[in-house]
Amino acid sequence: MTDVVPSAAPLADSGDPRRGPVLRVGLTLTLLAAATIVALVVLLVDTARGQRLDEIVLQAMYTNPRTDRVLLRGLDLVSEGAVALAIVAVLVIGAMRRRLDLGAAAAFVIVVATVGTQVLKYAVIERPDLGGATENTLPSGHVTVITSILVGLVIALPARWRPLLVPAVAFLATCGGVGTIVLNWHRPSDVIAAYAVVLAATGLAVAGLAAAGRLRPRPAGGTGRLMGYAVGSALAVSVVGVLILLAGVAPTYSRRDMLIAACALVAVALACAVAIAAASYAIDLLGDSDPDRGTGAGPDGKSDRSPHLPHTVV
């Protein structure tokens, strides 16, 4: 009796010319994200003017009680249990797809981002007493957890889902970030730093898989997918802005402060869109073929759905 068993899509060998470039992309993302966090600390935490600007945004607006309740219900879902459940979920997805490397990378992003945020907030970054609050809240733990779980799903789930998944991720991550600001939980710098932490963790995961040679054929589309991710993420965060306006956000003190706050929220939304698009494109570079079906494109740009011929087991 002879059974036909589909062969696995081949991993990159030690001579794969993509390993070096993908490794550099991952490390570059990590360095850029780290530089962003340093810049936020230097400009908005360590200076009196920066602290005042952050505080203006934090106190400049309020919403109606109904909107607050909706935001609170969503943010209350963030917990240690949610993190544990997400880690199990991405590992199970990886196992079901027979791509434990991607499941492990997704879990890595969630763990490293979550732990890294706590270390930065409580052991590394100090908020000097410059006339304002002295308790450091950068980066935001809530936003880190939300964003890292969402990016973990982008890693673990099939690449063919990403054109729809990435805008959804950008929308939800922006909702989480803007929600913490509107509720006066976090300053804009805290939220942008959280996005940067997740991007740094994603860069490390991409670099690690590239260094280990865990590359598959890339999804078809090339750099066009990056443009799609950028446009989709930008549109998604724009929807958040519309929803905030419809929710009845109003100035607490003056229209000038409200204008400053609106500019800050736009910056937060753009930071989220850029981080999600960049992370998703870097994940694309790893390639994504399930062992029993090709989903990528080969060096000539053609689909690789059929080149992996089955082998027989007697």
Side-chain angles (χ1 to χ4, degrees):
M1 181 73 179
T2 301
D3 296 325
V4 177
V5 180
S7 62
L11 292 171
D13 57 33
S14 59
D16 190 322
R18 292 186 300 144
R19 290 182 65 183
V22 176
L23 176 64
R24 287 193 291 273
V25 167
L27 293 178
T28 298
L29 285 183
T30 299
L31 291 175
L32 288 175
T36 299
I37 296 171
V38 171
L40 290 170
V41 172
V42 170
L43 296 175
L44 296 175
V45 176
D46 288 346
T47 65
R49 178 176 295 180
Q51 287 191 11
R52 283 197 301 273
L53 182 61
D54 251 355
E55 290 298 327
I56 286 174
V57 176
L58 189 65
Q59 304 295 335
M61 68 187 78
Y62 68 92
T63 57
N64 58 64
R66 180 180 177 182
T67 300
D68 289 349
R69 286 195 297 270
V70 171
L71 293 173
L72 284 169
R73 279 199 296 268
L75 291 171
D76 281 346
L77 296 175
V78 176
S79 64
E80 294 178 356
V83 172
L85 182 61
I87 292 171
V88 171
V90 295
L91 290 173
V92 169
I93 292 171
M96 291 175 64
R97 296 183 59 206
R98 287 180 282 171
R99 291 301 310 273
L100 281 174
D101 53 343
L102 294 183
F108 172 88
V109 168
I110 296 171
V111 172
V112 169
T114 302
V115 174
T117 282
Q118 299 306 309
V119 171
L120 287 173
K121 182 186 295 188
Y122 297 113
V124 176
I125 300 172
E126 295 183 357
R127 188 175 183 86
D129 186 357
L130 299 175
T134 58
E135 180 184 2
N136 178 55
T137 55
L138 185 150
S140 165
H142 277 77
V143 179
T144 298
V145 168
I146 293 169
T147 309
S148 65
I149 289 174
L150 293 170
V151 171
L153 291 173
V154 173
I155 296 173
L157 290 169
R160 62 183 179 275
W161 295 11
R162 286 182 198 144
L164 294 177
L165 181 61
V166 169
V169 166
F171 173 81
L172 293 173
T174 304
C175 284
V178 170
T180 62
I181 297 172
V182 171
L183 291 172
N184 297 332
W185 287 9
H186 280 288
R187 307 171 181 91
S189 58
D190 302 345
V191 175
I192 295 175
Y195 296 143
V197 168
V198 176
L199 183 60
T202 304
L204 288 176
V206 169
L209 289 179
R214 306 294 300 184
L215 303 180
R216 304 269 187 168
R218 284 182 58 187
T223 54
R225 289 175 70 95
L226 174 59
M227 293 301 298
Y229 294 155
V231 172
S233 297
L235 290 175
V237 301
S238 298
V239 172
V240 177
V242 172
L243 293 177
I244 289 294
L245 292 175
L246 293 176
V249 174
T252 303
Y253 300 112
S254 69
R255 294 188 179 277
R256 174 182 173 275
D257 288 354
M258 182 67 179
L259 179 60
I260 294 174
C263 292
L265 292 183
V266 170
V268 167
L270 289 177
C272 181
V274 169
I276 297 301
S280 300
Y281 182 68
I283 295 164
D284 269 1
L285 297 180
L286 296 172
D288 187 83
S289 295
D290 290 338
D292 57 351
R293 72 180 288 179
T295 59
D300 58 357
K302 297 179 180 179
S303 174
D304 74 335
R305 288 187 182 277
S306 60
H308 311 305
L309 299 177
H311 64 274
T312 60
V313 178
V314 179

